[in-house]
């Protein structure tokens, strides 16, 4: 399967502002890109790339003020299969867990395990462990939280979502992650592209959030918002929660003026045409 991914985002800044950008696909997916990712800006600014402590591809930039346009567009090769299910995957004891997973048992900015631990054990402490426990958590979050774009807030925590019972994909994800951590299951936040492939189209298109848990010696993908295996996830970044993977962070005031995201399947003829068009542009690699 070939998936075209990209964005066209514009900001306005009242004064010169430093930024951190996390707008690339994850290095794990770089070998599957058919066209190099080129983060372009208008006006042209210096974009300095770096890798953060979680292994995400990031950049820092300085906007001189005024309007800034950021664009990216590429094609990724995907296996075309839905998320892998391993219902027999067992849960590790804390003693068995690799040291590098322990970070994902701790509370973080949006995941307050100290506020939800008793609730988690009351809800999920008497059922299955391992995969079954994570799925029970996804089922509960999916069934008790109402998706609402108008409810989106940058400061909503897992506990807020538990109380409000509404939110967007990041809120579903934070609540599920927190419940998993309360139950001794390492869980980390993931963000990226997830187009409406093989499912009904639900506009507007946006970046998506899901999470990964460590069971049976490896990380597995779960999605409490959709709560069903999906095709075409394209990972951009991972972290403890949304605070670690903000797609743009500006150190000053700004206004978001444009936010267009795309992730859709291409046929082989469409891929050939896109590659031809790309190579015909001045400065193309």
């Amino acid at each position: 399967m070939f998936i075209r991914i990209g964005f066209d985002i514009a900001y306005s800044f009242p004064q010169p502002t430093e930024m951190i950008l996390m707008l690339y696909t994850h290095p794990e997916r770089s070998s599957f890109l058919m066209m190099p990712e080129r983060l372009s800006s208008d006006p042209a600014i210096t974009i300095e790339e770096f890798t953060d402590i979680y292994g995400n591809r990031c950049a820092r930039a300085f906007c001189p003020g005024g309007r800034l346009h950021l664009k990216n567009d590429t094609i990724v090769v995907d296996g075309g299969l839905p998320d892998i299910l391993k219902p027999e995957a067992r849960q590790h004891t804390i003693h068995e867990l690799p040291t590098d997973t322990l970070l994902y048992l701790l509370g973080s900015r949006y995941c307050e395990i100290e506020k939800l631990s008793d609730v988690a054990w009351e809800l999920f402490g008497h059922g299955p462990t391992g995969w079954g426990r994570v799925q029970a958590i996804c089922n509960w979050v999916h069934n008790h939280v109402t998706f609402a774009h108008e409810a989106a807030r940058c400061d909503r925590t897992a506990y807020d979502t538990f109380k409000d019972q509404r939110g967007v994909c990041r809120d579903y994800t934070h609540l599920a992650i927190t419940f998993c951590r309360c139950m001794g299951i390492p869980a980390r936040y993931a963000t990226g592209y997830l187009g409406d492939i093989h499912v009904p189209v639900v506009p507007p298109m946006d970046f998506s959030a899901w999470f990964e848990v460590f069971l049976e010696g490896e990380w597995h993908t779960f999605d409490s918002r959709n709560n069903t295996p999906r095709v075409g996830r394209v990972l951009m970044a991972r972290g403890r929660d949304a605070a670690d993977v903000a797609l743009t962070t500006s150190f000053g005031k700004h206004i978001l003026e444009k936010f267009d995201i795309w992730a859709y399947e291409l046929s082989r003829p469409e891929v050939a045409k896109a590659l031809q068009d790309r190579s015909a542009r001045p400065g193309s690699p």
Side-chain angles (χ1 to χ4, degrees):
M1 174 180 289
F2 306 97
I3 305 173
R4 188 160 201 161
I5 57 173
F7 56 82
D8 185 350
I9 304 173
Y11 297 93
S12 63
F13 297 92
Q15 60 188 20
T17 305
E18 298 278 356
M19 301 181 71
I20 295 176
L21 310 174
M22 203 172 290
L23 292 168
Y24 301 97
T25 54
H26 194 273
E28 287 183 1
R29 299 303 298 266
S30 60
S31 62
F32 298 92
L33 299 178
M34 300 190 70
M35 303 186 295
E37 278 192 293
R38 296 185 305 171
L39 181 57
S40 63
S41 66
D42 181 20
I45 59 174
T46 300
I47 298 175
E48 177 188 347
E49 291 192 25
F50 67 95
T51 302
D52 71 6
I53 61 174
Y54 301 102
N56 301 314
R57 183 183 176 191
C58 312
R60 57 190 302 176
F62 175 73
C63 178
R67 196 169 195 267
L68 176 65
H69 219 147
L70 297 172
K71 293 183 179 180
N72 201 352
D73 183 48
T74 189
I75 299 172
V76 62
V77 180
D78 187 79
L81 299 175
D83 302 323
I84 297 173
L85 301 179
K86 291 192 175 180
E88 73 287 351
R90 74 177 184 89
Q91 180 174 338
H92 294 278
T93 65
I94 304 300
H95 180 72
E96 293 174 327
L97 288 170
T99 303
D100 61 0
T101 68
L102 298 180
L103 173 67
Y104 301 105
L105 288 175
L106 307 179
S108 54
R109 177 177 174 181
Y110 293 109
C111 300
E112 317 103 313
I113 58 175
E114 69 282 357
K115 291 184 177 180
L116 288 168
S117 182
D118 289 345
V119 174
W121 279 99
E122 181 179 343
L123 290 173
F124 311 111
H126 306 289
T129 61
W131 187 282
R133 175 170 280 170
V134 180
Q135 187 57 61
I137 289 171
C138 286
N139 292 344
W140 192 96
V141 174
H142 181 79
N143 292 330
H144 287 79
V145 178
T146 300
F147 188 85
H149 275 293
E150 68 278 7
R153 278 184 11 220
C154 65
D155 62 346
R156 176 178 277 113
T157 67
Y159 186 66
D160 292 334
T161 302
F162 174 73
K163 292 189 301 179
D164 299 343
Q165 297 196 348
R166 61 178 186 156
V168 293
C169 59
R170 63 177 263 162
D171 303 313
Y172 284 76
T173 300
H174 284 145
L175 183 54
I177 285 174
T178 305
F179 280 151
C180 286
R181 292 177 184 174
C182 289
M183 304 307 296
I185 301 172
R188 63 190 184 188
Y189 188 97
T191 188
Y193 297 92
L194 180 59
D196 297 310
I197 298 173
H198 298 176
V199 300
V201 176
V202 182
M205 181 63 192
D206 197 349
F207 293 114
S208 187
W210 58 90
F211 69 106
E212 299 171 345
V213 300
F214 192 81
L215 298 171
E216 196 76 26
E218 59 184 337
W219 291 95
H220 304 270
T221 296
F222 282 85
D223 184 343
S224 53
R225 158 69 177 98
N226 295 290
N227 203 29
T228 188
R230 291 286 296 271
V231 172
R233 292 185 197 275
V234 181
L235 179 69
M236 295 175 72
R238 297 188 181 102
R240 293 169 301 173
D241 59 30
D244 291 330
V245 298
L247 298 172
T248 60
T249 301
S250 65
F251 296 91
K253 293 182 177 180
H254 68 273
I255 298 173
L256 180 63
E257 295 188 345
K258 185 177 184 180
F259 190 77
D260 292 338
I261 314 297
W262 53 87
Y264 56 88
E265 185 178 2
L266 292 180
S267 65
R268 287 186 179 274
E270 289 171 329
V271 170
K273 184 178 186 306
L275 294 175
Q276 183 179 30
D277 292 344
R278 176 76 170 255
S279 62
R281 296 174 193 163
S284 296

